[in-house]
Amino acid sequence: MIIAVIREMDVMNKLLTTSSTLSPYQHLNLKREAKVKVNVLGVFSSLAMLVSTSVTAVPAIAAETSHTSQQQPNILLILTDDLGYNDVGFNGSTDITTPNLDELAANGTSFSQAYVAHPFCGPSRAALMTGRYPHKIGSQFNLPTKGSFVGVPTNEQFISKLLQNNGYNTGAIGKWHLGEAPEFHPNARGFDDFYGFTGGGHNYFPEQFKAQYANQVKLGNTNINHYILPLEHNGKEVDENEYITDALSREASRFVEDAATDDKPFFLYLAYNAPHVPLEAKQSDMDMFPNITDEKRKTYAGMVYAVDRGIGRVVDSLEKTNQLDNTLIVFLSDNGGKLSKGASNYPLKEGKGSVYEGGFRSPMLFHWPKQVAAGQRFEHPVLALDLYPTFAALAGITIPSQKRLDGKDIWPAFSAGEDPHKDELFYVLRHRKGYSDASVRRNQWKAVKQGDKPWQLFNVEVDLNETNDLSKKHKTMLIDMVREMEKWSWDNKQPLWFHEAYEGADWRLKGMPRFDQTFSTSK
């Protein structure tokens, strides 16, 4: 086995030193693989009794041990807003640099096929917190734009509440977008500490939004744009004076450092609103990208860089307080990047709002020293819906029997490098005016229904851009997948709210959801 590893390293070194045809990303991947081989050799040297064990099983042994360990890990869940699949270095970006995220990926495992449950912000976040498809709980639309007393149903226990009830110190920093009324507030949904804003977004420069807010108050307005409201800390307004991304990073570092003085493990949900619009970046961050000439792209790049810079600050706090080794860091986006606002989802098709890959496939990584394999790329599909049961299992928590979940604990399969969803189906459904876009995937096959077009079928493992429709060649398989999704849809709930009032009127006038049309395969 050692000889085989040495031979693989020799091939890698020759490629690294002699090949001029490697792309920067391929070169980086080869370097990462070589680093892992060195680590593996070290393990074999010190543990000669394991010579007969396969190389790929080494990280799995460590991870399996942690899965049953009595020590509960800290969990840091970092969520960005509208980040493009191709807008981080570890996913191949050539113009936007993300050194801190790339370092986490190099020392951890990144995912090529990570999927969120919906291509829009609010429903995706509802799924993340509840472990349910948003359609199953009536949360399939963004919350109303002008404020409301509705929110994700309180009978759905959030992962934060489960962890809090089982000894975790819990914090939420940043964007909420899951309900503004007291019963839906983060402090009521399992978070001990909340710093941020409850609406769907926020402006970034305090000197601008504070002046706008003061003017609205002076005019006597009470229904004020959420994007300019004061931030809050546990329900009390705060006078924030930093660029918002930097402020959220500061507060996350504060939480991490405070947590080091507590004997409890922590769960921190760090939900940046960047790079969601409005496109507002610090000049110093935009200056990091002199080669980007498109104004939107340059501003967007500056916003992404600020997030990366902030993540570096939080990781520094973990290191400084000796908590990094016992912290699982998970990074992802809530949906695909918005192409009209500077994002890139290359090589995926379309972007935010779409049921094609660019709408809901997200950049994602796991980092946990000695528990997550370093420098690896996990090539099987994983779902944001899986995080709820996976976190619970890692914390040694039994999920209440009455709590329904749509994902699964992926840690054993992840640790073994196996497909956690082999032969299983997963779904994305986005309602529009009078019709629904839908997609269903099983293994390499993905069926897509967009607008009034007939169902299409793609092999997304070889056709990332979803251009080669194979529906006629595999008609029976296509119909079977569509029928399975139709069956899945029967217990979907009617929406509890709509983003805009006209959407609710259209829903009723058009007799939605009209699944008889969505799942028709007669064309």
Side-chain angles (χ1 to χ4, degrees), residues 103-365:
E103 185 173 357
L104 289 175
N107 293 308
T109 295
S110 61
F111 296 79
S112 64
Q113 301 183 62
Y115 293 94
V116 294
H118 197 279
F120 269 163
C121 306
S124 177
R125 290 159 193 268
L128 192 64
M129 285 292 113
T130 65
R132 302 296 314 279
Y133 280 108
H135 314 80
K136 303 301 180 185
I137 58 176
S139 302
Q140 56 268 65
F141 282 88
N142 276 341
L143 283 161
T145 57
K146 297 179 174 63
S148 68
F149 296 99
V150 296
V152 177
T154 56
N155 62 348
E156 288 292 340
Q157 187 180 62
F158 281 17
I159 181 60
S160 48
K161 193 67 174 178
L162 181 71
L163 293 170
Q164 184 188 55
N165 289 345
N166 286 274
Y168 270 74
N169 173 20
T170 55
I173 308 292
K175 173 176 171 174
W176 184 237
H177 209 200
L178 297 170
E180 302 154 37
E183 66 268 33
F184 304 119
H185 190 274
N187 292 141
R189 303 306 296 263
F191 288 105
D192 302 310
D193 192 349
F194 170 65
Y195 190 101
F197 45 93
T198 58
H202 210 281
N203 289 9
Y204 292 84
F205 289 107
E207 61 271 23
Q208 296 175 7
F209 68 72
K210 288 200 294 186
Q212 294 169 356
Y213 174 72
N215 185 56
Q216 290 295 305
V217 171
K218 184 178 179 181
L219 292 172
N221 291 338
T222 55
N223 196 344
I224 300 174
N225 183 352
H226 288 179
Y227 281 56
I228 63 172
L229 291 177
L231 273 67
E232 62 162 277
H233 186 204
N234 294 333
K236 296 182 179 179
E237 290 186 4
V238 295
D239 183 21
E240 182 55 70
N241 293 295
E242 277 196 88
Y243 178 71
I244 291 301
T245 301
D246 292 343
L248 300 182
S249 301
R250 179 199 70 220
E251 291 301 312
S253 291
R254 185 262 308 164
F255 178 91
V256 164
E257 292 175 14
D258 288 349
T261 65
D262 197 330
D263 59 359
K264 295 180 178 180
F266 72 76
F267 170 57
L268 177 59
Y269 172 51
L270 173 53
Y272 288 105
N273 56 315
H276 191 286
V277 293
L279 292 177
E280 296 178 349
K282 295 168 69 172
Q283 187 61 50
S284 57
D285 289 331
M286 289 190 289
D287 289 344
M288 299 299 297
F289 305 97
N291 295 327
I292 298 179
T293 56
D294 179 82
E295 183 179 352
K296 287 182 180 179
R297 181 70 174 168
K298 192 181 191 75
T299 306
Y300 175 93
M303 296 170 78
V304 174
Y305 190 79
V307 168
D308 183 81
R309 182 162 45 74
I311 290 171
R313 178 176 179 176
V314 178
V315 172
D316 286 345
S317 291
L318 286 168
E319 288 186 304
K320 182 173 66 175
T321 55
N322 297 316
Q323 297 181 94
L324 184 63
D325 284 352
N326 192 42
T327 300
L328 168 64
I329 300 175
V330 178
F331 171 87
L332 74 163
S333 178
D334 62 349
N335 48 245
K338 193 168 185 176
L339 302 181
S340 64
K341 300 299 180 181
S344 170
N345 297 309
Y346 178 83
L348 309 179
K349 188 172 184 175
E350 297 193 358
K352 178 179 180 177
S354 174
V355 297
Y356 287 112
E357 293 291 284
F360 64 105
R361 191 191 282 211
S362 168
M364 182 171 165
L365 66 82

Side-chain angles (χ1 to χ4, degrees), residues 5-25:
V5 174
I6 292 172
R7 285 174 178 168
E8 287 185 52
M9 290 178 62
D10 186 53
V11 172
M12 288 181 188
N13 286 330
K14 287 178 180 178
L15 280 170
L16 285 167
T17 55
T18 65
S19 177
S20 60
T21 61
L22 293 175
S23 70
Y25 190 54

